[in-house]
Amino acid sequence: MATPVEAKPSASSTKSMEDMTEKELDDALNSITDTLGGTVTIVSLSSYEGDGAQKAMSSVSDAVKGCAGGFKATSKGAKDDPQKFTKVEAEKASGSGDESVAFAVTGDADGDKIVVHGEAVRHGSTVATYYSLNLAVFLADGKPKEYDIPAELIKAQSAKLA
């Protein structure tokens, strides 16, 4: 039987910011920045009857073309403050599933440019939708690194739906 090892917190995790050395404070802030600079991907699965999945994919393709010049979206409770998206561009799809459509949506959040990469992949009557966003845009410098939807994520989910 393996002997459990008790994890010990780092010295800085139990200190207030005022009690940290300059190096401990830099390490803590860099850790937060590294976390916020990561890419988040949301995956959703939708199941359809009949030819509903094919129609959904056709709708996505039409929307990518039809929204190239941008659009505004409102949410319940925020009708007076619509979210502005300045453009939608087709991107190279993964080629997974029976059909796939990839796109990038560029938005404006209080003057900051935000790009969300999306891809819809149809597997029979199921559509897997992926959205990736790099959180670095919300940091002070607002300069996310180049990113995309992780190919290994699409590959793994496609294997489960095959």
Side-chain angles (χ1 to χ4, degrees):
M1 179 181 211
T3 305
V5 176
E6 184 178 327
K8 295 181 182 177
S10 67
S12 62
S13 69
T14 58
K15 291 183 179 180
S16 68
M17 289 176 59
E18 294 82 19
D19 295 332
M20 289 183 184
T21 66
E22 189 171 331
K23 180 177 180 346
E24 288 172 330
L25 185 57
D26 282 346
D27 289 346
L29 292 175
N30 285 337
S31 176
I32 292 168
T33 301
D34 289 346
T35 299
L36 289 177
T39 299
V40 174
T41 301
I42 299 168
V43 181
S44 65
L45 301 174
S46 302
S47 179
Y48 297 88
E49 292 183 5
D51 64 351
Q54 291 93 330
K55 288 180 179 178
M57 294 298 292
S58 179
S59 292
V60 172
S61 292
D62 291 346
V64 170
K65 293 173 194 155
C67 295
F71 62 95
K72 290 182 182 178
T74 57
S75 61
K76 188 176 182 178
K79 292 179 182 171
D80 295 333
D81 189 22
Q83 175 67 47
K84 182 179 177 184
F85 297 94
T86 56
K87 66 180 173 180
V88 179
E89 297 177 286
E91 294 192 313
K92 185 175 191 268
S94 64
S96 297
D98 299 314
E99 60 183 311
S100 55
V101 176
F103 52 91
V105 179
T106 302
D108 181 1
D110 297 325
D112 290 326
K113 177 181 157 184
I114 297 174
V115 178
V116 177
H117 295 276
E119 183 164 352
V121 181
R122 183 177 66 82
H123 300 270
S125 62
T126 300
V127 176
T129 310
Y130 307 84
Y131 296 100
S132 286
L133 171 66
N134 187 281
L135 298 176
V137 74
F138 298 108
L139 297 174
D141 65 6
K143 298 176 184 168
K145 63 180 185 209
E146 288 293 317
Y147 71 98
D148 208 342
I149 298 169
E152 59 274 9
L153 179 64
I154 294 174
K155 183 178 179 182
Q157 186 63 57
S158 292
K160 291 179 182 183
L161 294 171

